[in-house]
Amino acid sequence: MAKLFLVRHGKSTWNDLGLWTGHTDVELTPEGEEEARRAGLALRQEVIHRAHVSPLKRTRQTLSHIQTVLELPELDVQEHPAIMERHYGIHTGKNKWQVKEEIGEEAFQSIRRGWDTPIPEGETLKDVYERVKPYYEEHIKSDLMSSRNVLVVAHGNSLRALVKHLENLSEEEVVGVEIATGEVHCYTLDDNGAVVDKVILPSAQS
């Protein structure tokens, strides 16, 4: 048995402003730093053998705070763009709620949560899935099947894509998946890499 921990980065400066961030390399807010520390505290009873992180600042900063809390400065960390956030194309930098007013609730939710809703110059969630799934299969699953615990610090949509794969969700079911900033999802997997349990670890005050 092994555990896979999924952590969405803490709140970023653009999260705070309600802007679609995508690949824009923004930093954590003070609140986001606190969320990252609380994620570390939620993991304090766990053993972590390796971590995977997106190259964007907000994920690397989140992982750094987790490592500090857990006193794991020498943790083996693999950084890769395959687990970066969805690219929002022409909507990058736009205020989500202003876009919602302009295009209406149904179209907004389709862009925000839909499986294969295209954005000019950007990606769909399906596109994200098609880069996240191979990365998981090639770089993460083998550790889990060898009873090594793995931490993945990434983004709302790259983690939603991974959750779809882990839980074998339908295209309709993944629409309802949402992971809050700083939230820790813990999966237990058997030696064949199949999920046998999932819990959301309770947040703790730092």
Side-chain angles (χ1 to χ4, degrees):
M1 295 284 192
K3 290 183 178 181
L4 173 64
F5 307 102
L6 307 184
V7 179
R8 184 181 173 190
H9 64 79
K11 183 179 286 187
S12 74
T13 54
W14 278 25
N15 288 144
D16 218 22
L17 296 171
L19 306 180
W20 263 314
T21 313
H23 290 189
T24 307
D25 204 8
V26 299
E27 300 189 346
L28 296 181
T29 63
E31 181 183 352
E33 293 175 346
E34 176 64 16
E35 288 176 333
R37 288 189 287 269
R38 290 202 300 267
L41 288 171
L43 290 163
R44 65 190 183 281
Q45 301 300 322
E46 307 291 347
V47 175
I48 300 172
H49 298 103
R50 180 171 292 166
H52 295 260
V53 66
S54 148
L56 296 175
K57 289 177 186 176
R58 55 195 186 272
T59 51
R60 291 188 288 107
Q61 290 172 340
T62 298
L63 177 58
S64 179
H65 283 293
I66 291 172
Q67 288 180 262
T68 298
V69 169
L70 298 179
E71 299 180 353
L72 290 175
E74 302 303 320
L75 180 64
D76 181 7
V77 176
Q78 307 296 316
E79 183 180 296
H80 202 281
I83 55 174
M84 285 174 66
E85 179 58 292
R86 176 187 180 189
H87 196 307
Y88 280 101
I90 64 168
H91 290 305
T92 300
K94 292 183 180 179
N95 184 281
K96 299 174 187 177
W97 317 122
Q98 290 179 358
V99 172
K100 180 179 177 180
E101 288 183 6
E102 292 169 4
I103 67 176
E105 176 73 22
E106 185 175 351
F108 172 75
Q109 291 300 336
S110 182
I111 289 172
R112 190 178 185 211
R113 296 291 175 210
W115 169 247
D116 198 18
T117 303
I119 296 176
E121 302 174 27
E123 293 180 297
T124 66
L125 181 59
K126 180 182 178 182
D127 293 329
V128 178
Y129 177 86
E130 289 175 352
R131 56 178 163 82
V132 170
K133 178 184 174 182
Y135 183 81
Y136 172 81
E137 292 290 333
E138 295 170 18
H139 300 283
I140 299 175
K141 190 174 181 179
S142 59
D143 274 339
L144 298 168
M145 293 176 66
S146 300
S147 299
R148 291 170 60 81
N149 296 341
V150 178
L151 168 65
V152 177
V153 182
H155 307 266
N157 283 298
S158 53
L159 292 179
R160 289 176 68 221
L162 183 51
V163 166
K164 182 186 188 303
H165 178 53
L166 292 169
E167 300 184 23
N168 195 28
L169 300 179
S170 69
E171 296 171 10
E172 293 74 27
E173 288 172 325
V174 75
V175 171
V177 173
E178 186 163 3
I179 300 172
T181 53
E183 197 165 65
V184 183
H185 290 222
C186 172
Y187 289 85
T188 302
L189 299 96
D190 64 20
D191 293 341
N192 295 314
V195 173
V196 296
D197 187 46
K198 175 191 176 182
V199 296
I200 299 176
L201 299 184
S203 181
Q205 295 298 319
S206 65

